[in-house]
Amino acid sequence: MTLIPTDLSASRISDAVRDPNREIAASSRILDLSVGIVVCIPCFRRPEHLRLTLDSLVNQRTPRSFAVVMVENDAAGRASAPVAAEYLAVGKLQGVCLVEKRQGNCRAINAAFETAQALFPAATRFLMIDDDEIASPDWLELMVRTAEATGSDIVGGPVMPVFDDDSQPWLARHPVFCPAYDYTGAVPLIYGCGNCLITRSAFERLGSPAFDLQFNFLGGGDCDFFHRGRDAGMIFHWTAEAVICETVPKDRANPGWIARRGLRIGVINYRVRVKAAQSVAARTRVFAQTLARLPLSLVRAARLLASAKAVVAMHPVLVAVGSALAAVGYDPKPYEASKIVS
C-alpha cells in the first residue's frame, strides 16, 4: 500500500492532469496509489443527487479499497465540486474531483477514465456510475468479483429506473428504461456505461480517446466503444445482481421525451454502424439496411400493439426513423449545455 498525503503528491496529480483544459478542484487528504479499483463519476448540475450517489459508494459492502474520480463538466457553475470536496475532505471517499472545461458527454467521461488511469497506476478495473444514479450496497463487490471470476474485459449491470412520478409503473418495461438483459452470464455486448466495469487492458487495446468525440453532444460514445471492443474480440459479462438505480424525473417520463430518446437511439445506431463500415460498399449496405428497417419497424409495432401500450409499440418505429434521419444528416445534440435542464 502506497499512502501519501496529497500535499506531497501535488506533482503526481499535476502529472496525471496534463491537459490544460482540466484542473483539480478537490482531492482527499490521503491518496492510496496502490488501489486496484477506481469508480468514475461524470457530474453535471445535479449536486443534490450527487450526494445520494456518493453516499451509496460510501456504503458499499466490500473489503476492497477503491478510489473515486469525479469530473465536474460545468466549468462556469461548478455546483458539483463543493459536494465532491466535502466527501473527499472528511475522508468519506478517497480520490479527486477535476473540472473538464470543455463541455460534452464524451469529454467528461474521457477525462474521468484518463485521469483515473494516470493517477492510480496500479488500478486495473475502472467502474462508472452517473450522478443521477444510486449503487446497491454490493454493487462494486459483485462487479469486481465477476471480472475476476470470468476474466471479462467488460462487465455490465442493470440500471433500474426509479420514477419521480410513480403513476405509470409500466414505463419501467419500456425499451428506453428496461435493462438489456435479465440474467447473469456471458453476453455478446453491452450498450451503456451507466453501470459498467472496464479493464485497463481494454482501454489500452482500443486507444485514446476511449469515447469518440464525434458522439460528444449526441451521446452513444459508450455504444461505439463497446462495439469496437466486441469487434476486437473482447469478452463481455452481465451481472444482473449488481443493480444501480437511476432517478427519472417527471420530464423524462412523458411521451415527448421518450419519443426523442427513441429517435436518438436510432441516430446513434446508424452512426456506430457507418463508422464501422470500412468501404463505400459497406456504407452503402448500411444505408440500404437502414431504409429496409422502416417498413419492418411498422410490422413490429403492429405486433406489439396487441400486448403493449402505444408508446411502447412505437419505439421500434422511432428508432428506425431516427436511423433514416441520420442517414440524411439529422444531428441532435442533447448533451449541449444549453439543452440540458437541471
Side-chain angles (χ1 to χ4, degrees):
M1 181 179 294
T2 307
L3 293 174
I4 58 173
T6 53
D7 59 347
L8 299 179
S9 62
S11 61
R12 169 139 200 111
I13 294 176
S14 296
D15 287 343
V17 189
R18 291 179 177 274
D19 193 316
N21 290 294
R22 299 171 185 169
E23 64 180 66
I24 294 292
S27 62
S28 55
R29 189 176 62 85
I30 298 292
L31 289 178
D32 178 3
L33 300 184
S34 67
V35 296
I37 303 161
V38 183
V39 180
C40 295
I41 313 166
C43 307
F44 191 81
R45 298 179 182 172
R46 288 187 282 235
E48 292 309 312
H49 200 288
L50 178 60
R51 292 182 183 278
L52 302 178
T53 303
L54 297 181
D55 282 340
S56 75
L57 295 180
V58 171
N59 294 323
Q60 287 297 293
R61 294 190 293 229
T62 180
R64 306 172 194 268
S65 179
F66 66 93
V68 297
V69 172
M70 293 168 271
V71 176
E72 168 62 86
N73 198 215
D74 181 7
R78 303 192 180 198
S80 303
V83 176
E86 174 187 329
Y87 280 74
L88 295 172
V90 299
K92 287 185 177 180
L93 294 165
Q94 67 150 325
V96 299
C97 174
L98 66 146
V99 176
E100 167 56 74
K101 300 175 185 177
R102 297 161 297 187
Q103 201 265 318
N105 175 263
C106 292
R107 291 286 190 188
I109 297 172
N110 283 336
F113 283 133
E114 289 169 9
T115 301
Q117 292 175 74
L119 185 56
F120 298 97
T124 57
R125 295 184 173 92
F126 303 88
L127 295 92
M128 185 173 141
I129 182 171
D130 285 324
D131 66 343
D132 60 350
E133 297 177 340
I134 298 171
S136 55
D138 297 312
W139 169 68
L140 185 143
E141 180 64 25
L142 289 169
M143 294 289 278
V144 175
R145 191 184 299 170
T146 296
E148 290 176 342
T150 65
S152 299
D153 301 286
I154 297 168
V155 178
V159 177
M160 307 301 293
V162 177
F163 298 96
D164 281 349
D165 178 3
D166 60 3
S167 64
Q168 304 178 89
W170 57 269
L171 270 180
R173 298 188 297 276
H174 191 287
V176 162
F177 301 112
C178 186
Y181 307 100
D182 60 2
Y183 62 89
T184 292
V187 293
L189 189 67
I190 70 169
Y191 300 93
C193 64
N195 181 0
C196 73
L197 177 154
I198 305 172
T199 61
R200 182 181 288 268
S201 61
F203 284 117
E204 291 171 346
R205 287 172 65 185
L206 294 183
S208 182
F211 283 23
D212 191 331
L213 294 176
Q214 70 170 284
F215 297 94
N216 191 43
F217 294 117
L218 168 65
D222 47 1
C223 188
D224 170 67
F225 178 86
F226 295 134
H227 273 81
R228 287 187 284 127
R230 180 195 62 186
D231 294 344
M234 293 185 184
I235 299 171
F236 292 79
H237 204 92
W238 188 261
T239 304
E241 299 81 9
V243 175
I244 278 178
C245 291
E246 176 186 25
T247 301
V248 182
K250 290 183 180 180
D251 62 354
R252 291 190 180 186
N254 65 68
W257 186 92
I258 292 171
R260 290 191 297 274
R261 183 63 176 266
L263 289 173
R264 183 164 69 91
I265 290 171
V267 175
I268 290 169
N269 290 347
Y270 179 80
R271 295 274 182 83
V272 170
R273 291 197 299 267
V274 165
K275 180 184 172 184
Q278 297 297 311
S279 65
V280 173
R283 289 190 289 274
T284 301
R285 282 195 298 273
V286 170
F287 183 80
Q289 291 166 354
T290 297
L291 296 182
R293 286 188 175 96
L294 285 169
L296 291 174
S297 71
L298 293 172
V299 175
R300 288 189 62 196
R303 290 174 178 170
L304 285 170
L305 273 174
S307 59
K309 293 181 180 291
V311 69
V312 176
M314 282 301 294
H315 180 71
V317 176
L318 291 165
V319 173
V321 169
S323 291
L325 289 173
V328 295
Y330 177 56
D331 185 26
K333 296 180 178 179
Y335 285 105
E336 283 186 331
S338 61
K339 298 179 180 178
I340 298 175
V341 178
S342 302

